[in-house]
Amino acid sequence: MEEPKVGLRERTRNMVRTELAQAALKLFVEQGFEATTIEQIAAATGLSRRSFHRYFSSKEDVFGQWFVETGRQLAAALESRPAEERPWFALRRSFDDLVQGLSARPESLQITRMILNTPALHATHLHKHALWRDALADVLQLRRSEDGQELGRIAAVALVGAALAGLDSAQTEWVAEDNEQPLGDLFDQAMNAIAPLTGPAERHPNV
């Protein structure tokens, strides 16, 4: 099916949103989340506070939008995994691009630390979990389990929730160790620790 074309107005809006988000993240890294104002973010892109609110409802929404887009990418990655892969293994591999992207950007460690340690962002972090859980569970529910049956909703949500808990624990350790171990290795450790609880799991040299 051919995807609908995006109009010029929507493309322009997306470009401005991206520019605002990049400016916001840069200021968050330089000044901290709490110390950065909406006026500063808007000014960095030549806009007013009122214009900022045409694209984002708040500073927290800058992260919220990224979480929505990342959730879609994770779901697409899971959907593209080979049908014969077991659910737990397919879940781990669907996070590859996200983990590699975070690991490749020097500022990602500081941004992750900010999200984990800033009380004002806790609600946004929980919202991220709900978005990713639902998006991934929708796809996982259509995959076959080890006994050849489709996963039920409860099983799909539980597996995704466990994977997200593993990601959280890996990111927490990554931040605490100040990148002493690669995020991917820490995530592998977390996923492998949970694997015995999920039933037989296919293993991978890097998992």
PDB file of all heavy atoms in Angstrom, residues 1-17:
ATOM      1  N   MET A   1       0.832  -1.191   0.000  1.00  0.00           N
ATOM      2  CA  MET A   1       0.000   0.000   0.000  1.00  0.00           C
ATOM      3  C   MET A   1       0.873   1.250   0.000  1.00  0.00           C
ATOM      4  O   MET A   1       1.816   1.333   0.780  1.00  0.00           O
ATOM      5  CB  MET A   1      -0.922   0.010   1.233  1.00  0.00           C
ATOM      6  CG  MET A   1      -1.826   1.244   1.309  1.00  0.00           C
ATOM      7  SD  MET A   1      -2.881   1.228   2.784  1.00  0.00           S
ATOM      8  CE  MET A   1      -3.949  -0.150   2.406  1.00  0.00           C
ATOM      9  N   GLU A   2       0.523   2.188  -0.855  1.00  0.00           N
ATOM     10  CA  GLU A   2       1.309   3.412  -0.949  1.00  0.00           C
ATOM     11  C   GLU A   2       0.995   4.333   0.221  1.00  0.00           C
ATOM     12  O   GLU A   2      -0.171   4.570   0.557  1.00  0.00           O
ATOM     13  CB  GLU A   2       0.979   4.122  -2.261  1.00  0.00           C
ATOM     14  CG  GLU A   2       1.866   5.347  -2.516  1.00  0.00           C
ATOM     15  CD  GLU A   2       1.576   5.958  -3.882  1.00  0.00           C
ATOM     16  OE1 GLU A   2       1.124   5.219  -4.761  1.00  0.00           O
ATOM     17  OE2 GLU A   2       1.798   7.177  -4.030  1.00  0.00           O
ATOM     18  N   GLU A   3       2.033   4.837   0.873  1.00  0.00           N
ATOM     19  CA  GLU A   3       1.841   5.715   2.020  1.00  0.00           C
ATOM     20  C   GLU A   3       1.351   7.079   1.560  1.00  0.00           C
ATOM     21  O   GLU A   3       1.757   7.575   0.504  1.00  0.00           O
ATOM     22  CB  GLU A   3       3.153   5.880   2.791  1.00  0.00           C
ATOM     23  CG  GLU A   3       3.616   4.590   3.448  1.00  0.00           C
ATOM     24  CD  GLU A   3       4.814   4.815   4.337  1.00  0.00           C
ATOM     25  OE1 GLU A   3       5.193   5.994   4.512  1.00  0.00           O
ATOM     26  OE2 GLU A   3       5.362   3.830   4.847  1.00  0.00           O
ATOM     27  N   PRO A   4       0.451   7.727   2.341  1.00  0.00           N
ATOM     28  CA  PRO A   4      -0.044   9.049   1.960  1.00  0.00           C
ATOM     29  C   PRO A   4       1.084  10.069   1.954  1.00  0.00           C
ATOM     30  O   PRO A   4       1.976  10.022   2.794  1.00  0.00           O
ATOM     31  CB  PRO A   4      -1.086   9.353   3.043  1.00  0.00           C
ATOM     32  CG  PRO A   4      -0.716   8.485   4.211  1.00  0.00           C
ATOM     33  CD  PRO A   4      -0.127   7.237   3.599  1.00  0.00           C
ATOM     34  N   LYS A   5       1.017  10.978   0.993  1.00  0.00           N
ATOM     35  CA  LYS A   5       2.039  12.008   0.907  1.00  0.00           C
ATOM     36  C   LYS A   5       1.827  13.054   1.993  1.00  0.00           C
ATOM     37  O   LYS A   5       0.712  13.381   2.361  1.00  0.00           O
ATOM     38  CB  LYS A   5       1.984  12.670  -0.473  1.00  0.00           C
ATOM     39  CG  LYS A   5       2.347  11.725  -1.615  1.00  0.00           C
ATOM     40  CD  LYS A   5       2.309  12.456  -2.943  1.00  0.00           C
ATOM     41  CE  LYS A   5       2.699  11.495  -4.080  1.00  0.00           C
ATOM     42  NZ  LYS A   5       2.635  12.179  -5.406  1.00  0.00           N
ATOM     43  N   VAL A   6       2.936  13.558   2.506  1.00  0.00           N
ATOM     44  CA  VAL A   6       2.876  14.588   3.544  1.00  0.00           C
ATOM     45  C   VAL A   6       2.925  15.948   2.873  1.00  0.00           C
ATOM     46  O   VAL A   6       3.819  16.219   2.067  1.00  0.00           O
ATOM     47  CB  VAL A   6       4.052  14.441   4.537  1.00  0.00           C
ATOM     48  CG1 VAL A   6       3.984  15.524   5.596  1.00  0.00           C
ATOM     49  CG2 VAL A   6       4.031  13.056   5.170  1.00  0.00           C
ATOM     50  N   GLY A   7       1.952  16.800   3.186  1.00  0.00           N
ATOM     51  CA  GLY A   7       1.874  18.107   2.562  1.00  0.00           C
ATOM     52  C   GLY A   7       2.992  19.024   3.008  1.00  0.00           C
ATOM     53  O   GLY A   7       3.660  18.780   4.019  1.00  0.00           O
ATOM     54  N   LEU A   8       3.179  20.096   2.248  1.00  0.00           N
ATOM     55  CA  LEU A   8       4.239  21.066   2.549  1.00  0.00           C
ATOM     56  C   LEU A   8       4.064  21.665   3.936  1.00  0.00           C
ATOM     57  O   LEU A   8       5.033  21.827   4.675  1.00  0.00           O
ATOM     58  CB  LEU A   8       4.237  22.169   1.482  1.00  0.00           C
ATOM     59  CG  LEU A   8       5.242  23.313   1.695  1.00  0.00           C
ATOM     60  CD1 LEU A   8       6.667  22.767   1.706  1.00  0.00           C
ATOM     61  CD2 LEU A   8       5.082  24.365   0.601  1.00  0.00           C
ATOM     62  N   ARG A   9       2.838  21.975   4.294  1.00  0.00           N
ATOM     63  CA  ARG A   9       2.596  22.591   5.605  1.00  0.00           C
ATOM     64  C   ARG A   9       3.005  21.647   6.736  1.00  0.00           C
ATOM     65  O   ARG A   9       3.627  22.069   7.712  1.00  0.00           O
ATOM     66  CB  ARG A   9       1.110  22.949   5.728  1.00  0.00           C
ATOM     67  CG  ARG A   9       0.750  23.657   7.027  1.00  0.00           C
ATOM     68  CD  ARG A   9      -0.701  24.095   7.019  1.00  0.00           C
ATOM     69  NE  ARG A   9      -1.049  24.792   8.243  1.00  0.00           N
ATOM     70  CZ  ARG A   9      -2.256  25.291   8.503  1.00  0.00           C
ATOM     71  NH1 ARG A   9      -3.212  25.191   7.589  1.00  0.00           N
ATOM     72  NH2 ARG A   9      -2.498  25.899   9.643  1.00  0.00           N
ATOM     73  N   GLU A  10       2.657  20.361   6.586  1.00  0.00           N
ATOM     74  CA  GLU A  10       3.000  19.395   7.628  1.00  0.00           C
ATOM     75  C   GLU A  10       4.505  19.158   7.675  1.00  0.00           C
ATOM     76  O   GLU A  10       5.085  19.007   8.758  1.00  0.00           O
ATOM     77  CB  GLU A  10       2.266  18.080   7.379  1.00  0.00           C
ATOM     78  CG  GLU A  10       2.439  17.045   8.477  1.00  0.00           C
ATOM     79  CD  GLU A  10       1.903  17.501   9.830  1.00  0.00           C
ATOM     80  OE1 GLU A  10       1.012  18.367   9.862  1.00  0.00           O
ATOM     81  OE2 GLU A  10       2.392  16.979  10.850  1.00  0.00           O
ATOM     82  N   ARG A  11       5.159  19.135   6.520  1.00  0.00           N
ATOM     83  CA  ARG A  11       6.614  18.962   6.495  1.00  0.00           C
ATOM     84  C   ARG A  11       7.303  20.136   7.181  1.00  0.00           C
ATOM     85  O   ARG A  11       8.263  19.965   7.928  1.00  0.00           O
ATOM     86  CB  ARG A  11       7.115  18.831   5.046  1.00  0.00           C
ATOM     87  CG  ARG A  11       6.723  17.532   4.374  1.00  0.00           C
ATOM     88  CD  ARG A  11       7.647  17.206   3.198  1.00  0.00           C
ATOM     89  NE  ARG A  11       7.680  18.275   2.213  1.00  0.00           N
ATOM     90  CZ  ARG A  11       6.835  18.373   1.193  1.00  0.00           C
ATOM     91  NH1 ARG A  11       5.885  17.469   1.024  1.00  0.00           N
ATOM     92  NH2 ARG A  11       6.936  19.366   0.319  1.00  0.00           N
ATOM     93  N   THR A  12       6.795  21.343   6.909  1.00  0.00           N
ATOM     94  CA  THR A  12       7.362  22.536   7.549  1.00  0.00           C
ATOM     95  C   THR A  12       7.166  22.471   9.061  1.00  0.00           C
ATOM     96  O   THR A  12       8.082  22.790   9.832  1.00  0.00           O
ATOM     97  CB  THR A  12       6.703  23.812   6.992  1.00  0.00           C
ATOM     98  OG1 THR A  12       6.904  23.870   5.584  1.00  0.00           O
ATOM     99  CG2 THR A  12       7.296  25.052   7.643  1.00  0.00           C
ATOM    100  N   ARG A  13       5.995  22.048   9.479  1.00  0.00           N
ATOM    101  CA  ARG A  13       5.710  21.926  10.915  1.00  0.00           C
ATOM    102  C   ARG A  13       6.645  20.922  11.567  1.00  0.00           C
ATOM    103  O   ARG A  13       7.184  21.162  12.646  1.00  0.00           O
ATOM    104  CB  ARG A  13       4.256  21.504  11.105  1.00  0.00           C
ATOM    105  CG  ARG A  13       3.849  21.300  12.564  1.00  0.00           C
ATOM    106  CD  ARG A  13       2.372  20.945  12.689  1.00  0.00           C
ATOM    107  NE  ARG A  13       2.032  20.651  14.068  1.00  0.00           N
ATOM    108  CZ  ARG A  13       1.787  21.553  15.003  1.00  0.00           C
ATOM    109  NH1 ARG A  13       1.840  22.843  14.692  1.00  0.00           N
ATOM    110  NH2 ARG A  13       1.485  21.209  16.240  1.00  0.00           N
ATOM    111  N   ASN A  14       6.862  19.804  10.898  1.00  0.00           N
ATOM    112  CA  ASN A  14       7.758  18.783  11.440  1.00  0.00           C
ATOM    113  C   ASN A  14       9.192  19.287  11.536  1.00  0.00           C
ATOM    114  O   ASN A  14       9.911  18.971  12.488  1.00  0.00           O
ATOM    115  CB  ASN A  14       7.704  17.533  10.569  1.00  0.00           C
ATOM    116  CG  ASN A  14       6.389  16.784  10.696  1.00  0.00           C
ATOM    117  OD1 ASN A  14       5.658  16.944  11.683  1.00  0.00           O
ATOM    118  ND2 ASN A  14       6.060  15.979   9.702  1.00  0.00           N
ATOM    119  N   MET A  15       9.612  20.078  10.554  1.00  0.00           N
ATOM    120  CA  MET A  15      10.961  20.639  10.572  1.00  0.00           C
ATOM    121  C   MET A  15      11.139  21.588  11.745  1.00  0.00           C
ATOM    122  O   MET A  15      12.169  21.575  12.424  1.00  0.00           O
ATOM    123  CB  MET A  15      11.244  21.360   9.259  1.00  0.00           C
ATOM    124  CG  MET A  15      11.448  20.432   8.065  1.00  0.00           C
ATOM    125  SD  MET A  15      11.605  21.334   6.489  1.00  0.00           S
ATOM    126  CE  MET A  15      13.051  22.353   6.830  1.00  0.00           C
ATOM    127  N   VAL A  16      10.112  22.416  12.010  1.00  0.00           N
ATOM    128  CA  VAL A  16      10.196  23.360  13.128  1.00  0.00           C
ATOM    129  C   VAL A  16      10.202  22.605  14.452  1.00  0.00           C
ATOM    130  O   VAL A  16      10.964  22.934  15.369  1.00  0.00           O
ATOM    131  CB  VAL A  16       9.031  24.367  13.083  1.00  0.00           C
ATOM    132  CG1 VAL A  16       9.053  25.267  14.325  1.00  0.00           C
ATOM    133  CG2 VAL A  16       9.106  25.220  11.828  1.00  0.00           C
ATOM    134  N   ARG A  17       9.381  21.578  14.555  1.00  0.00           N
ATOM    135  CA  ARG A  17       9.355  20.760  15.776  1.00  0.00           C
ATOM    136  C   ARG A  17      10.724  20.126  16.028  1.00  0.00           C
ATOM    137  O   ARG A  17      11.220  20.117  17.153  1.00  0.00           O
ATOM    138  CB  ARG A  17       8.294  19.660  15.654  1.00  0.00           C
ATOM    139  CG  ARG A  17       6.874  20.119  15.838  1.00  0.00           C
ATOM    140  CD  ARG A  17       5.909  18.957  15.649  1.00  0.00           C
ATOM    141  NE  ARG A  17       6.108  17.961  16.669  1.00  0.00           N
ATOM    142  CZ  ARG A  17       5.491  17.982  17.864  1.00  0.00           C
ATOM    143  NH1 ARG A  17       4.666  18.972  18.163  1.00  0.00           N
ATOM    144  NH2 ARG A  17       5.701  17.041  18.750  1.00  0.00           N
TER     145      ARG A  17
END
